[in-house]
Amino acid sequence: MSTTADPLAALGSLPGVADAVESVRKAVDRVYGHRVMRRRSNEITSEAALRGARASAALSGADWALEEVRRRTDFSGDGEPRTVGAALRLTAEAGQLLSIWRQSPLRVLARLHLVAAGGDRPEESVGRPRLAGESVAEPLVELELPSADEVSGRLDGLAALLIAGTSAPALVTAAVVHGELLALRPFRSCNGLVARAAERIVLIGSGLDPKSICPAEVGHAELGREAYLTALEGYVSGTPEGLAAWIAHCGRAVELGVRESTAVCEALQRGAA
């Protein structure tokens, strides 16, 4: 990343990033302008939350049908039910943490992990970055695991950038937060779920998606795990091309989330949902 005073903003000048930002903005504006949004935005927000949680859980290995997620009420079991339950809890929690995020992103990340883990790990390891020698359960991401010291330093650096403020487009900031958390895997579990929830918080809090109707998680799942991991490798490489590719990938995910909510709007307009 750049060493300028606003390194996040500097990423906006990478080749192709401005086009991705503009494409996302136009897509979001279109769905917010849909006639159904004027009357039934709360329903769109609720449906987007459900679909986003389902998609995030799918990326973490629990690929359930939407109707199964909608029907189930008990997510207390181990394995996939726990993953789906964690995704649902995170989606519900994300909107409540916006004001804290602006002041203390690390507090929010700790809270997100506490909500996601739900007793999955021993009490002393939940809600705090992992310590030296502690293992990480994140089967999707097989990249080299940074040391605990590196995790601490990079988390502090990310938090400082966010607190200081940036003129970077929301897509760029959200992509960096998401990518950094996936690259670092700072917690012993649930890192993917937490990273995608943090991306959601940035998109909402930035004003790009204030009603949370553009579930990027849906897009990430639709694009597939292989594309997700390939783009993440580009982010981890730190090259301009890799960073730009990751940001563009996140932009495409948001656009696919917009498409999902637009379909919901159309269904409501037809009276089919």
Side-chain angles (χ1 to χ4, degrees), residues 2 5 22 39 64 98 129 172 211-212 214 223 226 240 254 259:
S2 170
E22 181 64 17
R39 297 176 284 111
W64 288 15
L98 295 175
V172 172
K211 294 183 182 294
S212 191
C214 306
L223 291 167
E226 184 176 348
V254 174
R259 188 177 72 177

Side-chain angles (χ1 to χ4, degrees), residues 74-92:
D74 180 12
F75 300 97
S76 59
D78 291 330
E80 291 188 4
R82 184 181 291 276
T83 298
V84 176
L88 289 167
R89 291 193 301 272
L90 283 173
T91 301

Side-chain angles (χ1 to χ4, degrees), residues 228-269:
Y228 190 55
L229 295 178
T230 298
L232 177 62
E233 288 173 1
Y235 176 85
V236 171
S237 75
T239 65
E241 296 80 10
L243 292 167
W246 169 251
I247 294 167
H249 183 87
C250 290
R252 181 60 180 150
V254 174
E255 291 185 62
L256 289 171
V258 168
R259 188 177 72 177
E260 186 88 353
S261 288
T262 301
V264 174
C265 287
E266 295 294 333
L268 288 172
Q269 185 167 285

Side-chain angles (χ1 to χ4, degrees), residues 8-79:
L8 293 177
L11 295 177
S13 63
L14 293 174
V17 170
D19 290 341
V21 168
E22 181 64 17
S23 183
V24 166
R25 168 54 68 187
K26 288 179 178 178
V28 172
D29 285 348
R30 282 195 298 271
V31 72
Y32 269 85
H34 197 287
R35 60 190 302 179
V36 169
M37 283 294 296
R38 293 195 293 270
R39 297 176 284 111
R40 305 177 72 173
S41 64
N42 288 342
E43 293 174 67
I44 308 300
T45 296
S46 296
E47 189 65 18
L50 182 70
R51 294 179 184 222
R54 189 218 72 81
S56 189
L59 283 168
S60 287
D63 192 0
W64 288 15
L66 180 63
E67 292 310 313
E68 176 68 8
V69 179
R70 200 189 303 279
R71 180 187 66 81
R72 286 283 289 267
T73 57
D74 180 12
F75 300 97
S76 59
D78 291 330

Side-chain angles (χ1 to χ4, degrees), residues 23-207:
S23 183
V24 166
R25 168 54 68 187
K26 288 179 178 178
V28 172
D29 285 348
R30 282 195 298 271
V31 72
Y32 269 85
H34 197 287
R35 60 190 302 179
V36 169
M37 283 294 296
R38 293 195 293 270
R39 297 176 284 111
R40 305 177 72 173
S41 64
N42 288 342
E43 293 174 67
I44 308 300
T45 296
S46 296
E47 189 65 18
L50 182 70
R51 294 179 184 222
R54 189 218 72 81
S56 189
L59 283 168
S60 287
D63 192 0
W64 288 15
L66 180 63
E67 292 310 313
E68 176 68 8
V69 179
R70 200 189 303 279
R71 180 187 66 81
R72 286 283 289 267
T73 57
D74 180 12
F75 300 97
S76 59
D78 291 330
E80 291 188 4
R82 184 181 291 276
T83 298
V84 176
L88 289 167
R89 291 193 301 272
L90 283 173
T91 301
E93 188 80 4
Q96 311 302 314
L97 298 171
L98 295 175
S99 61
I100 303 174
W101 176 264
R102 297 183 186 103
Q103 300 169 3
S104 181
L106 297 185
R107 280 181 58 198
V108 170
L109 293 176
R111 174 62 184 170
L112 290 175
H113 185 246
L114 184 65
V115 168
D120 188 43
R121 291 282 175 177
E123 183 72 24
E124 65 273 11
S125 71
V126 173
R128 62 145 173 84
R130 55 186 167 82
L131 304 177
E134 290 184 333
S135 61
V136 174
E138 196 65 49
L140 174 63
V141 181
E142 298 179 351
L143 298 172
E144 182 178 352
L145 195 66
S147 69
D149 285 343
E150 182 178 352
V151 167
S152 178
R154 286 173 61 175
L155 282 179
D156 286 345
L158 179 64
L161 286 175
L162 295 171
I163 293 169
T166 177
S167 61
L171 171 64
V172 172
T173 304
V176 168
V177 168
H178 185 171
E180 194 71 355
L181 293 174
L182 274 183
L184 293 177
R185 283 147 288 161
F187 303 108
R188 296 195 65 196
S189 64
C190 304
N191 289 289
L193 295 172
V194 169
R196 291 184 287 275
E199 179 185 47
R200 173 181 287 268
I201 288 173
V202 174
L203 293 173
I204 298 169
S206 67

